[in-house]
Amino acid sequence: MISLPGSPATNLLQFLFLGLTTLASPSRAQLELHVPAGLTKLQAVEGAEVVLPAWYTLQGEVSSTKPKPWEVLTVMWFRKGMVNQVLSYIGGATSSNSGVSLVYSMPSRNVSLRLQGLQEKDSGSYLCSVNVQDSQGTDRGHSTNTLELNVLVPPAPPSCHLQGVPRVGTNVTLSCQSPRSKPTAQYQWVRSPPSSQVFFAPVLDAIHGSLSLKNLSTSMSGVYICKAHNEVGSAQCNVTLEVSTGPGATVVAGAVVGTLVGLGLLAGSVLLYHHRVKALEEPANDIKEDAVAPRTLPWPKGSDTISKNGTLSSVTSARALRPPQGPSRPGALTPTSSLSSQVLPSPRLPRMDGAHPQPISPSPGGVSSSALSRMGAVPVMVPAQSQAGSLV
């Protein structure tokens, strides 16, 4: 509790009053301050109120009665150790801290103290001092007594936690802790209906609030309640346990990520392989202007050449036309570059001396084979392509 801010005169009075308590002579021991037997140590719950009982009697009196008209009473309550003044009644005026008051109106021989709205910090020893004077100012007696107060705190609402992965065959621990309790809380774990169950040691640690569940099965799923309790109160929390049969979410996530990474690496390897194959094939497919054309066989004598698959593969090339050997005759026609069919570039074949191709039917262009021969044309065989894609 917070001490009262007092004036210098009040502080001096308190000092003198304590001095009188220490130096009182036997002749002044006519007053006795009482407290109930066995109640010198009191307990109260935080937030509640408590009464510290005390009363005084004069010498020769059996019980407390109303003060006599000549009695001038001074009452003070202190918090020992800190010497904090809690309440004072001097000259008919009362001064006290918030939540502190005398149980009975003054003047009275019952000087019990009431404390309301208790807090844990209000625990401690309380000293009551009573001094009585007569109307002439003569001291008629002085006495003190002490009471112990212990403010108890019920457990604050605890927090429940699940430690571990609840899968079939694994082990988990349920923990429970209350952040504040006086005295220290004890813990009890139970399983709520319909599968009610109460747990005890060794699976239960009642001091630290832990419950060990081993070799989990799906039948152990349910709501588990932890109750923190001490002698003045209790509080509870709960946690839901769901035991799964499959791998945990972490394992599933790891498997998914691993699969995706593996697929990515595989796709990258395939793309790299195709790129390298394509790079190797491109030089082989390049057409070079100075490349040597494949050598072809000459026409056979006296007939056109038919490919193995029955297709006519010979065409007349304008590039193959040459002037006839020997001196030119007057009036002879000069060969032109007209073609009897579509001209395809092909290598020039060696001339066959003394051999003339047999006359064939006129070509679509209107020029016969004999006319072409007289003009000095040379038959050329162009390689044909079979259905299988090979040259024949």
Side-chain angles (χ1 to χ4, degrees), residues 2 33 47-48 65 71 80 82 97 114 131 160-161 163 177 191 197 199 223 241 247 256 264 286 309 317 325 343 380:
I2 302 174
L33 183 61
T65 60
E71 293 182 15
K80 291 181 67 176
M82 301 177 65
N97 290 346
R114 176 185 285 115
N131 186 61
C160 292
H161 300 283
Q163 300 175 356
Q177 279 294 320
R191 186 179 176 184
Q197 188 177 2
F199 299 94
V223 178
L241 178 65
V256 171
D286 289 340
N309 57 3
S317 173
Q325 296 180 356
V343 178
V380 178

Side-chain angles (χ1 to χ4, degrees), residues 132-156:
V132 175
Q133 294 179 337
D134 57 21
S135 54
Q136 285 77 31
T138 304
D139 289 332
R140 298 297 299 271
H142 176 268
S143 183
T144 62
N145 214 327
T146 303
L147 292 170
E148 295 285 339
L149 175 62
N150 185 24
V151 179
L152 304 180
V153 181

Side-chain angles (χ1 to χ4, degrees), residues 40-69:
T40 56
K41 294 183 178 180
L42 303 176
Q43 288 186 343
V45 180
E46 187 178 56
E49 68 175 48
V50 67
V51 172
L52 307 182
W55 67 92
Y56 72 93
T57 59
L58 296 178
Q59 187 177 15
E61 294 179 344
V62 178
S63 60
S64 176
T65 60
K66 290 184 178 182
K68 293 181 172 50

